[in-house]
Amino acid sequence: MACRPQPIGTYSEGGWGWTIVFGGFTIMFIFNGTLKAFGVLLITIKDDFDTDLWMIGSLGFLHYGLFYAMGPMAGAVARRIGSRYLVVFGGMIYGLGLTLASTANSVILFGVSLIVMAGLGAGCAYETCRVELVFYFHDKFPIAYVLLTIGGPIGMMVYGPLTQVLLDTYGWRGTMLLLGGVSFHVVVCGLLIRPGKHSVKDYNKVSLNDNDDVKHPERGTSSPVNCFHDFLMIAGLDVFRNVEFLILSCARMAINIGHAGVIIYMVPDGLSLGLNTTQASFLTSAWGFGSIIGLSLSAFITQRKFISNRLTAAISGLITAVCFAATPFLTTVTCQFLIISLLGVGAEGVAQTLAVSTRNLPFSDDRQFNVQGWQCFLVGISCTIGNIIAGWLYEATGSFQATFVMFCGTSVVTSVCLLVDLIRLRLIGQRDE
């Protein structure tokens, strides 16, 4: 049975890498916590600007989408100047954007501050800190990744109820100003990343085509074929020649539509179902609790290899789909807490497993900036389009039922993509690692 090439050289499997994990944990804590805080502030901001809910919600989705859509540019810059400087710059712009958003006197200025500035800053740092892990971990990558990523759900657990308290005390502008101040800590986390070249050796270069025996033209020539090839390599577009990359990207695009949707609309949906503001704000704690379980469980399964990665992610996707379908119809506080927790288990289980599968793609470590960058770009586009449609569905129907049914459908698409890829790997005799 064919299997993937093993890395040459050695990895520290820790060392300074654990410092990177700590810094990334803090960055995830701040970014995801702030995103959840925006969900708590959503209705108050809508009322203050006297506009529609879908309009303010769309600004949140565009902000979230830019986390990912900046991926290719961030990857190219990180390979040129290093991750440290990029994350530090991103932290400064992110904190400044949130601070300016608290002073905006119109929807346009609020959107520019939240999307162009804060979204740009987050896009510089969000995936960059995750990619840094590939230079320190291989065998322990699932554990390191989950310890870094778990900062996101913990941040949501803390920020959700805390934001409601700050909102009642200082209003949404004072709360946003405080969030901006805390966000400058991303700069400190960026300084934890070591500058310069990494000592880890690259993976063996693997041809993207099984029958690719064609020699490339000499670099000194200026033929159109040679120029086109150089352009593909510089931009990292050659990753799209890998079928497995395309399938994993499609799966991630589909699941992240619902992932972003539940983060933004979780509290408004709870309020529409009859929960009071305190109960609705604590739904974020339920989501965070479930997310921690989902991340930890999937990391344990992928580390121990009890079942294949794609099967694990496909099952998690189906759990997510069922929860999305049931969420609008379970109106009691207990049921909402339970279903939101299960949503966190499923959605984060998919995210963790897809991250490990993407790390195992046959690309060298330094190419992970391109792999993650373009995958994130696709995710950013899908989240932006998908969740603007979700907002329109809410405005058209007056409830979140149709919106959450749409999220259910995208979760099913994720599971189908992964099962199809699993069958493809079995047919070609390749193992799912």
Side-chain angles (χ1 to χ4, degrees):
M1 178 180 291
C3 61
R4 297 188 180 283
Q6 294 299 312
I8 59 176
T10 58
Y11 290 77
S12 63
E13 297 296 349
W16 192 260
W18 295 118
T19 305
I20 306 299
V21 170
F22 172 76
F25 171 93
T26 306
I27 291 174
M28 295 298 110
F29 180 93
I30 292 173
F31 283 167
N32 286 274
T34 303
L35 189 66
K36 183 62 259 170
F38 180 78
V40 176
L41 300 174
L42 187 62
I43 294 179
T44 305
I45 295 174
K46 172 192 78 74
D47 293 338
D48 188 37
F49 286 126
D50 192 23
T51 186
D52 296 326
L53 181 66
W54 76 269
M55 176 66 73
I56 303 299
S58 295
L59 296 180
F61 288 124
L62 289 170
H63 170 75
Y64 179 82
L66 207 57
F67 278 31
Y68 297 99
M70 279 288 297
M73 183 180 297
V77 174
R79 293 185 70 183
R80 176 68 63 178
I81 69 172
S83 299
R84 166 184 273 192
Y85 305 108
L86 184 62
V87 174
V88 168
F89 172 78
M92 293 176 62
I93 298 300
Y94 184 73
L96 184 60
L98 293 179
T99 302
L100 291 178
S102 68
T103 65
N105 55 12
S106 70
V107 175
I108 295 177
L109 292 178
F110 181 79
V112 170
S113 300
L114 187 68
I115 300 170
V116 178
M117 295 192 66
L120 173 64
C124 290
Y126 193 75
E127 285 296 322
T128 305
C129 65
R130 300 196 202 199
V131 176
E132 276 294 308
L133 292 185
V134 306
F135 299 105
Y136 296 93
F137 300 95
H138 181 263
D139 293 336
K140 294 182 179 179
F141 180 81
I143 296 175
Y145 186 86
V146 73
L147 290 176
L148 182 151
T149 309
I150 210 169
I154 292 178
M156 293 176 63
M157 292 175 68
V158 173
Y159 271 63
L162 179 61
T163 301
Q164 186 62 52
V165 174
L166 294 175
L167 176 63
D168 295 337
T169 306
Y170 302 108
W172 78 265
R173 294 183 183 275
T175 302
M176 187 70 75
L177 180 62
L178 290 171
L179 294 175
V182 173
S183 297
F184 282 109
H185 286 81
V186 174
V187 175
V188 180
C189 296
L191 294 174
L192 296 177
I193 300 176
R194 281 181 170 175
K197 295 182 179 179
H198 297 281
S199 60
V200 181
K201 295 183 179 180
D202 291 339
Y203 279 126
N204 282 313
K205 300 289 184 179
V206 179
S207 175
L208 297 180
N209 278 334
D210 295 335
N211 299 320
D212 187 11
D213 296 320
V214 180
K215 300 294 184 181
H216 294 297
E218 293 297 328
R219 294 296 178 193
T221 65
S222 59
S223 66
V225 174
N226 191 43
C227 292
F228 181 68
H229 176 266
D230 288 344
F231 171 76
L232 290 180
M233 294 301 294
I234 293 173
L237 290 170
D238 57 304
V239 300
F240 286 93
R241 297 168 59 193
N242 186 281
V243 174
E244 196 169 354
F245 167 81
L246 293 174
I247 296 176
L248 291 177
S249 297
C250 289
R252 190 175 175 189
M253 289 167 64
I255 196 65
N256 271 71
I257 292 175
H259 188 277
V262 71
I263 290 176
I264 297 295
Y265 286 132
M266 182 193 312
V267 173
D269 177 56
L271 293 173
S272 70
L273 294 176
L275 276 62
N276 60 43
T277 55
T278 301
Q279 293 169 338
S281 67
F282 270 98
L283 288 177
T284 60
S285 299
W287 168 269
F289 177 73
S291 297
I292 293 172
I293 294 177
L295 287 167
S296 303
L297 184 60
S298 60
F300 179 75
I301 293 174
T302 52
Q303 185 73 39
R304 296 293 182 177
K305 297 180 172 59
F306 292 125
I307 59 177
S308 70
N309 289 348
R310 282 159 184 75
L311 185 57
T312 302
I315 294 173
S316 299
L318 290 176
I319 293 174
T320 306
V322 172
C323 291
F324 271 128
T327 298
F329 304 100
L330 301 176
T331 58
T332 65
V333 176
T334 303
C335 288
Q336 278 291 300
F337 272 61
L338 177 61
I339 205 69
I340 293 297
S341 297
L342 289 176
L343 260 177
V345 172
E348 294 294 354
V350 176
Q352 161 72 13
T353 313
L354 287 179
V356 174
S357 296
T358 301
R359 196 262 183 269
N360 289 334
L361 289 175
F363 296 99
S364 60
D365 288 344
D366 64 328
R367 296 299 310 284
Q368 283 292 325
F369 282 112
N370 297 130
V371 173
Q372 295 282 359
W374 282 111
Q375 190 177 83
C376 288
F377 174 80
L378 296 174
V379 169
I381 297 300
S382 69
C383 285
T384 301
I385 297 175
N387 288 289
I388 288 177
I389 295 174
W392 288 342
L393 286 175
Y394 170 78
E395 290 298 323
T397 62
S399 74
F400 288 102
Q401 290 186 9
T403 299
F404 277 70
V405 168
M406 188 191 86
F407 295 154
C408 169
T410 58
S411 301
V412 171
V413 170
T414 293
S415 295
V416 171
C417 288
L418 293 166
L419 291 174
V420 167
D421 197 37
L422 182 61
I423 294 172
R424 182 189 65 86
L425 291 176
R426 296 286 175 85
L427 290 177
I428 65 176
Q430 187 168 301
R431 191 171 58 200
D432 175 22
E433 296 185 336

